[in-house]
Amino acid sequence: MNTADQETPSERKEFRRSGPHFADRITADGRDGWPVEAGRYRLVASRACPWASRALISRRLLGLEPALSLAITDPIQDERSWRFTLDPGDRDPVLGIAFLSEAYDARETGYPGGVSVPAVVDVPSGALVTNDFHRITLDLATEWTALQREGAPDLYPEEHRDEIDDVAEGVYRDVNNGVYRAGFAEHQDTYDDAYRRLFARLDELSERLSTRRYLVGDTITEADIRLFTTLVRFDAVYHGHFKCNRNKLSEDPVLWAYVRDLFQTPGFGDTVDFDHIKRHYYRVHTNINPTGIVPLGPDLSGWLTPHHREELGGRPFGDGTAPGPVPDGEVVPEAGRAV
């Protein structure tokens, strides 16, 4: 008898996302030994990764580009971790490294865990500071205020933090992480549970957003950023690749309009690279897609169609303003953009 047949559901393995090993914080008072300082740190991100995309969006909305430099990795990893093969000489021009794992090694020799993005690296030492994807964006919003642009929005307003945290927790558990639980499930009941929780939460969010433009309050907050990074990938990869196929996002009128509204807001869609997204998921996850074939679809033209969400009111940036043009060198290549 197959050993899997003898397992009970509680004994069966399911996808679990490990917590950050390096959880130091960069703060205004430097209490962890890492003070906020313009030009000292470098954000390493992959445009393929939804967790890293949070940091890309927050950095852009807050206008932190001059203070926090950016390294974009190749969307295709190998056994040596995230690579800087998009840069001349296959090395990051600021850190001088070929693989992100080198910054991890500079922080802790022989670190046994995975090498993840987003990661913030201390430029002078070349050592990793943090890979805490949950905390990085919150600190950009609350600890880096002295270096934010004039007119930067408040992405984590104090009066709404409890509600933002509550909404974001459900989104993380059932949506952000839920698609992975479904996609990497090794047993039917694990997949079934993740699938049902995912679509139950999406239905709940659709109902919530049917009468309000944003998830919490009348402005864009951290909660919207966290939901957006999964929704923008849904039809391109999660629907087919991760078997989250009850319906496409584009078949839900509310969520499809909501995500298009955000996509068309400066700071969101201009950080999205659909080419990187598709090539990463379909070529790296060989256990799910052993042929490595990257689908040509879906059609991306719908992302720029009218959404009419402004009829619900709301002020995208609150008392602030929209970010300016994307800095030179950070524009998403044409191959990855919606047209």
Side-chain angles (χ1 to χ4, degrees), residues 4-5 7 12-14 184-192:
D5 295 334
E7 293 175 338
R12 292 178 177 178
K13 293 189 299 181
E14 64 176 73
F184 288 112
E186 297 182 1
H187 300 279
Q188 188 69 48
D189 56 354
T190 301
Y191 164 78
D192 291 352

Side-chain angles (χ1 to χ4, degrees), residues 87-156:
D87 296 301
D90 296 346
R91 288 186 176 273
D92 179 75
V94 173
L95 299 173
I97 59 177
F99 301 92
L100 179 56
S101 58
E102 296 174 57
Y104 278 68
D105 289 340
R107 173 67 185 274
E108 182 179 310
T109 303
Y111 160 66
V115 176
S116 64
V117 288
V120 181
V121 178
D122 177 50
V123 174
S125 68
L128 180 77
V129 176
T130 178
N131 67 343
D132 188 345
F133 66 88
H134 171 73
R135 193 70 235 180
I136 287 173
T137 52
L138 297 181
D139 284 343
L140 291 180
T142 60
E143 298 289 336
W144 289 66
T145 53
L147 298 177
Q148 293 173 7
R149 66 179 174 87
E150 184 177 354
D154 187 352
L155 300 176
Y156 196 47

Side-chain angles (χ1 to χ4, degrees), residues 156-178:
Y156 196 47
E158 194 163 359
E159 67 271 22
H160 292 306
R161 287 183 186 177
D162 287 345
E163 186 177 5
I164 291 171
D165 291 347
D166 181 61
V167 171
E169 172 57 30
V171 167
Y172 170 78
R173 183 180 60 250
D174 299 327
V175 181
N176 300 148
N177 208 45

Side-chain angles (χ1 to χ4, degrees), residues 86-334:
L86 303 181
D87 296 301
D90 296 346
R91 288 186 176 273
D92 179 75
V94 173
L95 299 173
I97 59 177
F99 301 92
L100 179 56
S101 58
E102 296 174 57
Y104 278 68
D105 289 340
R107 173 67 185 274
E108 182 179 310
T109 303
Y111 160 66
V115 176
S116 64
V117 288
V120 181
V121 178
D122 177 50
V123 174
S125 68
L128 180 77
V129 176
T130 178
N131 67 343
D132 188 345
F133 66 88
H134 171 73
R135 193 70 235 180
I136 287 173
T137 52
L138 297 181
D139 284 343
L140 291 180
T142 60
E143 298 289 336
W144 289 66
T145 53
L147 298 177
Q148 293 173 7
R149 66 179 174 87
E150 184 177 354
D154 187 352
L155 300 176
Y156 196 47
E158 194 163 359
E159 67 271 22
H160 292 306
R161 287 183 186 177
D162 287 345
E163 186 177 5
I164 291 171
D165 291 347
D166 181 61
V167 171
E169 172 57 30
V171 167
Y172 170 78
R173 183 180 60 250
D174 299 327
V175 181
N176 300 148
N177 208 45
V179 293
Y180 283 85
R181 288 188 62 236
F184 288 112
E186 297 182 1
H187 300 279
Q188 188 69 48
D189 56 354
T190 301
Y191 164 78
D192 291 352
D193 179 69
Y195 176 101
R196 293 188 179 110
R197 287 175 178 270
L198 166 66
F199 283 102
R201 182 68 64 180
L202 289 178
D203 288 343
E204 177 186 295
L205 292 166
S206 182
E207 182 177 359
R208 180 185 183 95
L209 289 163
S210 66
T211 57
R212 56 199 302 167
R213 190 171 180 183
Y214 304 112
L215 284 171
V216 179
D218 65 350
T219 65
I220 291 167
T221 68
E222 177 78 13
D224 297 293
I225 295 171
R226 295 187 179 203
L227 179 57
F228 173 82
T229 58
T230 296
L231 296 188
V232 78
R233 290 162 171 76
F234 200 89
D235 288 4
V237 289
Y238 301 142
H239 178 270
H241 184 58
F242 277 177
K243 305 179 186 69
C244 300
N245 59 356
R246 190 193 72 178
N247 57 269
K248 294 180 180 178
L249 190 73
S250 56
E251 295 168 348
D252 183 307
V254 172
L255 292 180
W256 178 227
Y258 165 77
V259 74
R260 288 189 347 263
D261 184 8
L262 292 177
F263 186 88
Q264 294 170 32
T265 299
F268 283 84
D270 53 30
T271 69
V272 175
D273 190 325
F274 285 107
D275 173 58
H276 278 206
I277 289 168
K278 292 200 299 182
R279 284 198 288 131
H280 170 77
Y281 280 89
Y282 285 102
R283 290 186 58 189
V284 170
H285 299 157
T286 53
N287 57 327
I288 299 175
N289 186 39
T291 64
I293 293 174
V294 180
L296 294 177
D299 179 8
L300 299 178
S301 61
W303 284 99
L304 302 180
T305 57
H307 52 76
H308 306 296
R309 293 281 295 179
E310 65 277 0
E311 296 172 6
L312 293 172
R315 302 173 301 144
F317 305 103
D319 295 329
T321 58
V326 178
D328 292 341
E330 296 189 11
V331 176
V332 173
E334 185 176 354

Side-chain angles (χ1 to χ4, degrees), residues 51-71:
W51 318 100
S53 290
R54 295 179 179 183
L56 292 175
I57 293 168
S58 296
R59 172 179 174 271
R60 174 117 170 77
L61 291 175
L62 297 170
L64 288 170
E65 296 99 330
L68 178 63
S69 66
L70 176 64

